[in-house]
Amino acid sequence: MPTPPSRPLTAPALRLALIAGARRVIAGRDGLNRINVFPVADGDTGNNLASTLGSVLNGALSQPSQHAGDLLSRVGNDAIDGARGNSGAILAQFLHGVAERVRPLPELDARSLAAAVRQGALSARQALAQPVEGTILSVIAAFADELDAAASDMAQPDARSGFTRALVRARRALADTPRQMALLQKAGVVDAGAQGFVDLLEGIAEFVEGGPRAVRMRSAAPVAANDAAEPLVHDHVIDPARRWCTECLLLGDALDRDRLRIALEGAGADSIVIAGGTSRLRVHAHTGSPQALFDACAQQGRVEGMKADDMIRQQAVAAAPQPLVVVTDSAADLPDDIAERYAIGVVPARVDLDGRDYLDKVGLSTAEFYRRMAASRQLPRTSQPPPGDFRRQFELSLAHHARVLYVGLSRALSGTLQSGEHAAARDPGRRVRVFDTINAACGQALLVWRAAELAAEGRDEAEVVAELERLRPLTKMWAIAPDISHAVRGGRIPRWAAPIARLSALTPMAKMSVDGRMVVAGILLTRASAPEAFANRVARQLPAGQRWRLIVGHCDARPGAERLRAALRARLDISEDRLVETGAAIGAHAGQGALIVAVQPVADA
């Protein structure tokens, strides 16, 4: 008897299969994070793949479809828009390439599916400037080869049996990845991105075998090959000259991937992945200057969805032994050595200068912010990080630790804290605690510093929060600004104060109020000796006989800050102090030349 023709793959079945696959990857992301070694061991491959597929689940796969080509086109676009990390961008380009082949087809048969997967594999490889074997690329290629072979071998090709054959081949290719890459072999793991792709296929196989029931049930987390209960210990060193994992979405017309790749390579970037088509590209690279990457992209189109993660900091977070880790936002003017010592995660705000958005202290350094502000035609504006940026930071921390404490900017000054709260509410385990410092800049940084210090000692969340609540009303901050025009234009200082300050030798002084706002706190009767007069005023307002931890900040005014620090050292009993550049959260309103002092009492040893 002749073999009956196989049934076509319809859009409803394809949608449910992809949902099952995506859910399996998301369920197993912690295991993928733990075996993440290549291209850098920053412990986030599982999070990146889960985020990429989460964009697809919440987009194209959230709505029924009757046209397979249209469904896959929307899947490809959603994956490009939401792609994260090296492996996420490669997977997105694979899905985008698959969609390009079958866009006009309402249903798929075994041959059209094999051809689409073949194009997806080629497209994924072309997205990389320097493809490497022993990665997700190798497993995708093996899967495509076997699917192609199965479609060619049978007189009446069957998509189901062909997929089963190709999955077996993909599993073998996954097991081979350590033999293809010495780094994996040394660590004793398979490639995390490749494992994630096989997890996607395994989830699809669950649907093929179990039907819609596999979608209704939440899959158990898959066991990643060579998975371990603890993070891997390895000696893979991240290049400090390319420590930023940088990404953006580039939108435009006739986008040229080759020209962009050349520009990024010229800027010193590596691990370059450019996924997408001529109208939208997801750009990923490791670089020493995130802003250089964003600027190169802006030469071709509109840049959106900027992000830059410090991989050295990520690696330190993964290795930190304590159960609680601390996260803050870029409004906190953390001393560099403190942020590095305690691997504090920092979520950057956005800064708008002359119509362009920058990542505070990442895409745009504090020094560069003041240089550009001086030449800007408009008052710079800051905006809160979106909840997605907080969610990404929380997920990274929770992949390696039991709890996260976000110590944030005063609710009264910005929506930043609310954005963090929104992201924290998305964690089903309620493992993220949000703490309002009712402070900003150097004052916020002092509370973050103390929280991270206690967390590193192994204190639990309740102990750390109790100490922060005790210190919050005792942590004081003041500022002076020789030029208050920025604060007046921004509505922070009354307009009547501007001409008085401009026409006199007076220096306005502000303080952080008990409700977390900056308010006028008086006038210094000098400009030439303002740092010393400021130190005198601060010292008089503090109780005698107390030791202090101190941060002095400045808005592009280091000489004045050094004078202020010296004057405070002469007047106060200081156990530890730091000098920092104050970021855009205060600088956009206080303007160049402003000086900030924040103090916190230190308990006796």
Side-chain angles (χ1 to χ4, degrees):
M1 294 180 60
T3 304
S6 61
R7 288 178 297 177
L9 181 58
T10 64
L14 181 61
R15 172 177 168 264
L16 293 176
L18 290 171
I19 289 173
R23 286 182 176 175
R24 186 168 176 86
V25 175
I26 292 169
R29 63 180 170 189
D30 286 349
L32 299 178
N33 287 333
R34 286 194 290 269
I35 65 170
N36 173 200
V37 173
F38 180 84
V40 292
D42 49 357
D44 65 355
T45 291
N47 287 342
N48 290 337
L49 287 173
S51 179
T52 303
L53 290 170
S55 296
V56 177
L57 278 176
N58 294 325
L61 298 182
S62 67
Q63 299 294 327
S65 176
Q66 298 301 319
H67 191 285
D70 177 66
L71 172 66
L72 287 173
S73 294
R74 288 186 287 115
V75 164
N77 286 337
D78 287 343
I80 293 295
D81 288 354
R84 241 173 62 187
N86 189 283
S87 294
I90 294 170
L91 177 61
Q93 184 63 16
F94 167 75
L95 294 171
H96 188 271
V98 168
E100 287 291 306
R101 180 74 183 214
V102 298
R103 192 181 302 277
L105 302 181
E107 296 179 338
L108 306 182
D109 59 19
R111 288 195 172 95
S112 60
L113 176 63
V117 170
R118 164 64 57 205
Q119 179 159 322
L122 293 173
S123 185
R125 187 170 293 271
Q126 291 167 356
L128 274 76
Q130 296 177 317
V132 176
E133 298 305 326
T135 65
I136 187 175
L137 288 177
S138 302
V139 176
I140 290 175
F143 177 72
D145 288 346
E146 194 64 30
L147 203 61
D148 216 9
S152 301
D153 288 349
M154 292 181 268
Q156 292 286 349
D158 177 63
R160 176 171 174 168
S161 59
F163 178 85
T164 301
R165 271 181 56 175
L167 176 55
V168 172
R169 176 76 178 276
R171 290 171 181 147
R172 290 203 306 267
L174 174 65
D176 283 341
T177 56
R179 288 188 280 275
Q180 293 175 285
M181 191 188 304
L183 186 63
L184 299 175
Q185 191 170 47
K186 183 177 181 181
V189 297
V190 297
D191 179 68
Q195 175 72 63
F197 184 72
V198 171
D199 289 345
L200 176 67
L201 301 180
E202 297 279 10
I204 293 172
E206 287 180 1
F207 170 77
V208 171
E209 295 299 324
R213 180 173 176 272
V215 178
R216 289 194 298 269
M217 295 178 63
R218 289 189 178 273
S219 301
V223 178
N226 300 299
D227 194 7
E230 299 297 330
L232 289 168
V233 177
H234 51 77
D235 57 3
H236 180 55
V237 178
I238 294 171
D239 180 2
R242 297 184 180 91
R243 67 188 293 167
W244 294 99
C245 179
T246 308
E247 293 178 357
C248 67
L249 182 66
L250 179 60
L251 305 176
D253 298 318
L255 299 176
D256 188 330
R257 289 201 299 180
D258 291 336
R259 183 159 64 92
L260 180 58
R261 181 179 291 116
I262 291 169
L264 297 182
E265 289 173 339
D270 69 0
S271 296
I272 298 171
V273 185
I274 304 175
T278 57
S279 63
R280 62 198 316 114
L281 292 174
R282 170 61 63 177
V283 183
H284 166 280
H286 295 169
T287 178
S289 172
Q291 192 57 47
L293 181 142
F294 301 143
D295 287 344
C297 291
Q299 295 298 312
Q300 285 205 41
R302 187 171 80 255
V303 176
E304 294 185 355
M306 299 179 296
K307 76 97 172 166
D309 294 328
D310 185 338
M311 295 180 291
I312 292 179
R313 189 78 57 81
Q314 286 181 325
Q315 196 175 64
V317 168
Q322 72 264 17
L324 176 70
V325 291
V326 173
V327 169
T328 190
D329 53 72
S330 64
D333 290 324
L334 276 174
D336 289 341
D337 66 313
I338 299 303
E340 294 286 344
R341 181 189 306 171
Y342 298 111
I344 299 167
V346 179
V347 180
R350 301 313 197 254
V351 180
D352 183 328
L353 274 171
D354 289 329
R356 276 201 64 185
D357 280 341
Y358 301 89
L359 294 179
D360 184 27
K361 299 180 182 177
V362 177
L364 188 67
S365 71
T366 303
E368 182 64 17
F369 165 73
Y370 289 112
R371 281 194 290 272
R372 297 194 185 194
M373 185 174 78
S376 175
R377 298 183 302 274
Q378 298 175 336
L379 184 70
R381 293 179 296 177
T382 58
S383 59
Q384 66 212 43
D389 286 7
F390 280 102
R391 190 164 63 250
R392 186 174 69 249
Q393 183 63 56
F394 295 162
E395 287 173 352
L396 170 70
S397 299
L398 290 170
H400 307 284
H401 303 278
R403 304 284 301 176
V404 170
L405 177 62
Y406 163 47
V407 183
L409 173 64
S410 171
R411 186 188 303 276
L413 291 178
S414 165
T416 298
L417 197 84
Q418 291 93 318
S419 189
E421 287 173 332
H422 182 79
R426 294 284 299 274
D427 175 49
R430 296 289 188 257
R431 297 167 295 170
V432 180
R433 177 79 171 265
V434 176
F435 182 83
D436 184 353
T437 62
I438 314 183
N439 221 309
C442 300
Q444 180 184 350
L446 284 171
L447 288 162
V448 174
W449 181 353
R450 184 59 180 149
E453 194 173 51
L454 293 171
E457 294 174 3
R459 306 289 186 91
D460 65 26
E461 179 187 290
E463 290 179 283
V464 176
V465 170
E467 177 65 358
L468 291 184
E469 288 175 340
R470 184 187 73 82
L471 288 172
R472 181 164 52 189
L474 304 175
T475 301
K476 307 291 187 180
M477 190 177 83
W478 298 266
I480 60 171
D483 177 6
I484 65 170
S485 59
H486 288 280
V488 171
R489 289 167 65 192
R492 307 276 175 170
I493 298 291
R495 288 192 175 276
W496 57 260
I500 297 174
R502 186 173 59 252
L503 298 174
S504 68
L506 306 179
T507 303
M509 181 174 167
K511 68 176 181 179
M512 187 63 68
S513 68
V514 293
D515 65 350
R517 301 176 188 275
M518 289 297 292
V519 297
V520 176
I523 296 289
L524 302 180
L525 303 177
T526 178
R527 284 196 181 180
S529 301
E532 291 75 18
F534 188 21
N536 277 333
R537 184 72 63 88
V538 167
R540 287 203 303 269
Q541 297 186 38
L542 294 174
Q546 174 66 59
R547 301 197 74 207
W548 303 97
R549 177 175 279 175
L550 170 77
I551 297 181
V552 172
H554 67 90
C555 299
D556 197 29
R558 188 176 184 88
E562 289 174 341
R563 287 168 55 191
L564 174 59
R565 185 186 196 184
L568 288 166
R569 283 175 169 175
R571 292 163 174 78
L572 299 175
D573 182 3
I574 298 173
S575 68
E576 197 170 6
D577 64 15
R578 294 291 190 280
L579 186 67
V580 300
E581 283 188 297
T582 292
I586 294 293
H589 309 289
Q592 288 170 289
L595 300 177
I596 297 91
V597 174
V599 298
Q600 185 179 86
V602 176
D604 293 333

